[in-house]
Amino acid sequence: MNEALLRSLTPSVLGILVRRGADFAAAEDAVQEALVEAVRVWPDDPPRDPKGWLVTVAWRRFLDHARAETARRRREDLVEEEPAPGPAPAVDDTLQLYFLCAHPSLTPSSAVALTLRAVGGLTTRQVARAYLVPEATMAQRISRAKRTVSTARFDRPGDVATVLRVLYLVFNEGYSGDVDLAAEAIRLARQLAAVVDHPEAAGLLALMLLHHARRVARTTPDGSLVPLAEQDRGRWDTAMIAEGVGILQAALARDRLGEFQAQAAIAALHADAPTAEETDWVQIVEWYDEVCRLTGSPVVRLNRAVAVGEADGPRAGLAALAALDASLPRHTAVAAYLHERDGDVVAAARLYAEAAHKAANLAEREHLTRQAARLNAHRHD
């Protein structure tokens, strides 16, 4: 399978679908599904015209989704035409559904994947990205989970830890994309923290609030990303930060440290710094060490490498980065940033351009492309 060929054809195929009348988001989904199908089919039956094959399959996928959406809207119209129901008590059972999907008959990873897809509203592609696995693999995992729970009794809801993990991943998707998704995750985290005696429930809520408080400063009016160091801190929501810090302090006082409390402590240190230059990076590295100890997450180790680069210098950060798998999402972008900090503009520009090709969304891709262009322009001045 020529992955480079697929990557090179993707923008062209996407452009053709948009010119044919597909909106950009639907076209992106259709092209992604066509790429997954290509990975499955091409090794045994390579097409003579790869681009034409991708266009045909992607357009069919788009039409299928469009027809399904039209049918769904028609069903909703029919429902709206029905007489209004009588008064009924207002009940929000969303959090209960999270617990039911986190069923004991499922492994924690399968329970999280199923809940994200069935209740959280994420696409299979979004869930796969959160787990760092191919979309086809995640689709199979979700299908198996559905089959497992289809015959299971729902008299034993799942545990709090699994529900916390789901809410965390839903928030992460919302934080980088859909505002309503992040707000919904915060709403459910508030509910959960109010009904369970679990310090990590408070830790997760604090983490969400501290991150969400910076949301409006993360992008420009045209949607461009603004790195943390360049954000206008006057636009941060100080009331939300104060609430998050208060919740975190109460959770830490219980002396039952968990992953979300440690991550919230990192976010609180960023929020506490009046300027980027005054950030306490040494303490942030110490908290990242705690998160690594608690989770062993490679993504956390990647973020720690950035913090080490700030606390001990870019070469120390690059040394920490060298111990990680280069295929990790954002690994190349982190390498670019650290090389730039170290003064290696040539390598940094090349890595920024490479990272742009790997970016998971358009805003990130454009940001990394601008970084590469900025360094290349500086070199030629």
Side-chain angles (χ1 to χ4, degrees), residues 346-371:
V346 175
R350 174 180 57 79
L351 288 166
Y352 275 129
E354 184 181 335
H357 287 293
K358 300 176 180 178
N361 59 66
L362 185 61
E364 185 179 352
R365 185 180 310 130
E366 290 179 346
H367 170 72
L368 292 167
T369 300
R370 283 194 298 271
Q371 296 295 86

Side-chain angles (χ1 to χ4, degrees), residues 36-83:
V36 171
E37 185 68 8
V39 170
R40 187 182 70 83
V41 172
W42 285 12
D44 297 323
D45 186 19
R48 282 178 291 183
D49 179 9
K51 180 178 176 181
W53 189 98
L54 285 172
V55 169
T56 299
V57 173
W59 184 247
R60 286 174 180 166
R61 292 291 193 276
F62 167 73
L63 291 178
D64 289 343
H65 289 308
R67 292 188 187 104
E69 180 66 13
T70 300
R72 183 188 64 78
R73 288 176 181 171
R74 176 56 184 157
R75 289 194 299 271
E76 290 178 352
D77 290 341
L78 290 174
V79 169
E80 289 178 1
E81 293 169 5
E82 295 179 355

Side-chain angles (χ1 to χ4, degrees), residues 16-333:
I16 291 172
L17 263 65
V18 171
R19 287 194 295 274
R20 286 187 178 182
D23 68 82
F24 189 82
E28 271 196 317
D29 287 341
V31 171
Q32 288 297 322
E33 290 187 20
L35 293 175
V36 171
E37 185 68 8
V39 170
R40 187 182 70 83
V41 172
W42 285 12
D44 297 323
D45 186 19
R48 282 178 291 183
D49 179 9
K51 180 178 176 181
W53 189 98
L54 285 172
V55 169
T56 299
V57 173
W59 184 247
R60 286 174 180 166
R61 292 291 193 276
F62 167 73
L63 291 178
D64 289 343
H65 289 308
R67 292 188 187 104
E69 180 66 13
T70 300
R72 183 188 64 78
R73 288 176 181 171
R74 176 56 184 157
R75 289 194 299 271
E76 290 178 352
D77 290 341
L78 290 174
V79 169
E80 289 178 1
E81 293 169 5
E82 295 179 355
V91 177
D92 180 5
D93 59 359
T94 306
L95 191 59
Q96 182 64 20
L97 289 174
Y98 272 64
F99 273 96
L100 291 175
C101 283
H103 197 270
S105 63
L106 298 173
T107 64
S109 61
S110 294
V112 171
L114 176 62
T115 314
L116 289 172
R117 184 69 185 91
V119 188
L122 274 63
T123 65
T124 302
R125 182 175 58 176
Q126 288 173 315
V127 181
R129 189 167 62 223
Y131 270 90
L132 310 181
V133 300
E135 184 175 354
T137 300
M138 183 53 65
Q140 293 175 353
R141 184 180 300 177
I142 292 172
S143 294
R144 286 195 298 269
K146 287 179 179 178
R147 287 195 299 270
T148 299
V149 300
S150 64
T151 57
R153 294 178 59 189
F154 282 90
D155 54 353
R156 294 185 300 144
D159 65 349
V160 173
T162 301
V163 174
L164 287 171
R165 175 62 50 187
V166 174
L167 289 174
Y168 174 66
L169 292 174
V170 170
F171 177 80
N172 280 349
E173 280 297 329
Y175 187 62
S176 60
D178 187 340
V179 177
D180 291 336
L181 196 60
E184 172 68 359
I186 291 174
R187 185 183 71 83
L188 293 173
R190 285 189 188 280
Q191 287 186 9
L192 185 61
V195 298
V196 301
D197 182 26
H198 196 300
E200 274 293 80
L204 178 60
L205 177 58
L207 175 62
M208 290 180 176
L209 292 172
L210 289 165
H211 277 302
H212 206 59
R214 304 199 302 257
R215 183 176 183 91
V216 295
R218 291 184 69 245
T219 55
T220 62
D222 66 1
S224 300
L225 292 181
V226 181
L228 176 60
E230 300 171 20
Q231 288 175 18
D232 178 359
R233 298 181 180 224
R235 300 183 67 200
W236 290 0
D237 188 330
T238 54
M240 191 176 292
I241 289 172
E243 181 187 6
V245 169
I247 293 170
L248 172 63
Q249 288 175 338
L252 290 174
R254 300 180 63 179
D255 198 24
R256 290 169 55 194
L257 183 65
E259 168 192 357
F260 298 126
Q261 294 170 70
Q263 288 201 46
I266 294 169
L269 286 167
H270 282 299
D272 187 54
T275 65
E277 292 72 23
E278 296 173 85
T279 303
D280 189 346
W281 286 106
V282 172
Q283 195 172 167
I284 287 176
V285 171
E286 293 175 354
W287 276 111
Y288 269 124
D289 289 338
E290 289 290 342
V291 184
C292 288
R293 179 182 62 81
L294 291 164
T295 68
S297 165
V299 175
V300 171
R301 287 162 59 85
L302 183 68
N303 292 332
R304 179 186 177 277
V306 177
V308 169
E310 299 289 352
D312 301 326
R315 295 199 176 180
L318 286 167
L321 186 66
L324 303 179
D325 186 346
S327 67
L328 276 172
R330 295 186 58 251
H331 185 285
T332 308

